[in-house]
Amino acid sequence: MTPIPPADITGLLAAARQGEPAAIDAVFDATYPQLRRIAGALMRRERSGHTLQPTELVHDAWLKLFDQAR
């Protein structure tokens, strides 16, 4: 998958702020793989036996970011 340029993501975020549901989905699709890779790299540095998974970390951050509008 080809990364979406930051300017395009900024435009999608602006549309999402206006309440456009398709823009929210597009931002998620565009950013999720990279966020998941970053979270995986961070979690590999954590102590063994921790219970937080990279997917959970990304989903929690996503919910916190987009739940602010509610």
Side-chain angles (χ1 to χ4, degrees):
M1 182 171 158
T2 304
I4 294 179
D8 291 348
I9 292 174
T10 301
L12 289 171
L13 287 169
R17 269 193 301 269
Q18 298 298 319
E20 190 176 318
I24 295 170
D25 293 341
V27 170
F28 184 82
D29 292 341
T31 59
Y32 183 83
Q34 185 173 0
L35 292 174
R36 178 65 178 71
R37 280 191 297 278
I38 292 167
L42 290 171
M43 299 289 29
R44 281 190 289 280
R45 295 183 206 160
E46 288 294 317
R47 63 175 168 72
S48 62
H50 66 82
T51 59
L52 186 62
Q53 298 295 314
T55 302
E56 294 171 301
L57 182 61
V58 172
H59 288 195
D60 186 52
W62 183 263
L63 290 173
K64 287 180 181 179
L65 285 170
F66 277 88
D67 198 37
Q68 290 179 7
R70 294 186 185 124

